[in-house]
Amino acid sequence: DQLKDVVKKYPKSAVALKAYLWLGDYYLKSGKFEMARKYLNDSLKDYPDSEKTDEARYLLGLTFKNERKYDAALNEFKTILAKEKSKMAIDASLALADILAETYKSEEAVKIYQDIVDKHPEAARDAYTKLADLYRNRGLFGKAMDAYQQALNLAASDTSQFSNPQIQFNLAEAIEGAKDLNRAIENY
């Protein structure tokens, strides 16, 4: 409620923009997607030229993605990617590929994940992990094992979505899926 008061008390200020984004993120994480969109859209309306517009669009895209409103989510992520040198481009690319993977457009998702691996070493660990998840879910256990191992070979960063134990567990599941139970047990 205090942040809502900040927005009312200091409209069109830098602090109000931060409050809009924080409220949007809070409601997104709380699963209250309509409320999240309200604050994020308000930030876009009140601050259309802000350097934070891509962040707002990314969070908007996530609200739609979480509700499986994929066309709306894709529109937000593609808007970010259409800009040159957006700070949110990698996150938008990962989210775009995630949607393609979820909607059975695996080949397109693989291309995007691989492009991230090739061009953005700082996000390669996450891209490899998501690529491996896609392969594992499609029953391509050999490719999944290779991708998980590539992810584990890269150092974890502060921004990585996946911890080593998570990746190791998924690697073990892929090995189990390939029917190599003794090796899977060693990896769990």
Side-chain angles (χ1 to χ4, degrees):
D1 286 333
Q2 291 174 336
L3 285 173
K4 292 175 188 175
D5 291 341
V6 167
V7 169
K8 289 177 186 171
K9 192 172 183 180
Y10 303 103
K12 309 272 185 185
S13 68
V15 71
L17 172 60
K18 287 179 183 178
Y20 276 138
L21 293 171
W22 191 91
L23 286 163
D25 188 46
Y26 170 79
Y27 284 116
L28 167 65
K29 289 176 180 169
S30 299
K32 297 177 180 175
F33 305 121
E34 288 294 326
M35 285 297 293
R37 282 195 286 272
K38 176 204 177 309
Y39 288 105
L40 296 167
N41 281 320
D42 285 349
S43 77
L44 291 170
K45 180 184 69 164
D46 290 351
Y47 305 91
D49 300 321
S50 165
E51 64 182 35
K52 298 287 189 178
T53 58
D54 288 348
E55 182 179 344
R57 288 204 178 283
Y58 175 72
L59 294 172
L60 267 173
L62 291 180
T63 68
F64 291 122
K65 179 180 178 277
N66 287 337
E67 289 186 310
R68 299 192 186 286
K69 296 178 179 177
Y70 293 128
D71 289 337
L74 290 171
N75 286 338
E76 296 298 339
F77 299 137
K78 287 178 180 178
T79 299
I80 295 167
L81 294 172
K83 294 181 179 181
E84 286 192 32
K85 299 183 181 183
S86 170
K87 292 178 184 177
M88 298 303 297
I90 295 170
D91 293 325
S93 293
L94 285 167
L96 179 74
D98 292 347
I99 290 171
L100 293 171
E102 288 176 30
T103 57
Y104 302 101
K105 296 177 182 167
S106 300
E107 290 178 20
E108 293 175 60
V110 167
K111 286 178 187 175
I112 294 171
Y113 290 136
Q114 195 59 55
D115 188 58
I116 293 167
V117 165
D118 294 342
K119 295 179 182 174
H120 303 284
E122 70 277 16
R125 178 183 172 89
D126 287 354
Y128 272 128
T129 303
K130 290 173 177 257
L131 182 59
D133 289 344
L134 183 150
Y135 286 143
R136 184 169 50 96
N137 292 336
R138 301 289 184 263
L140 302 170
F141 300 113
K143 287 184 174 187
M145 290 185 284
D146 291 343
Y148 284 130
Q149 196 57 60
Q150 289 289 343
L152 286 169
N153 290 341
L154 297 171
S157 70
D158 292 340
T159 60
S160 181
Q161 298 175 26
F162 304 99
S163 66
N164 278 349
Q166 288 172 299
I167 297 169
Q168 187 67 45
F169 184 84
N170 290 346
L171 172 61
E173 285 193 333
I175 295 168
E176 184 178 344
K179 306 293 187 221
D180 190 347
L181 299 182
N182 288 331
R183 189 168 154 228
I185 291 168
E186 291 172 13
N187 280 275
Y188 273 118

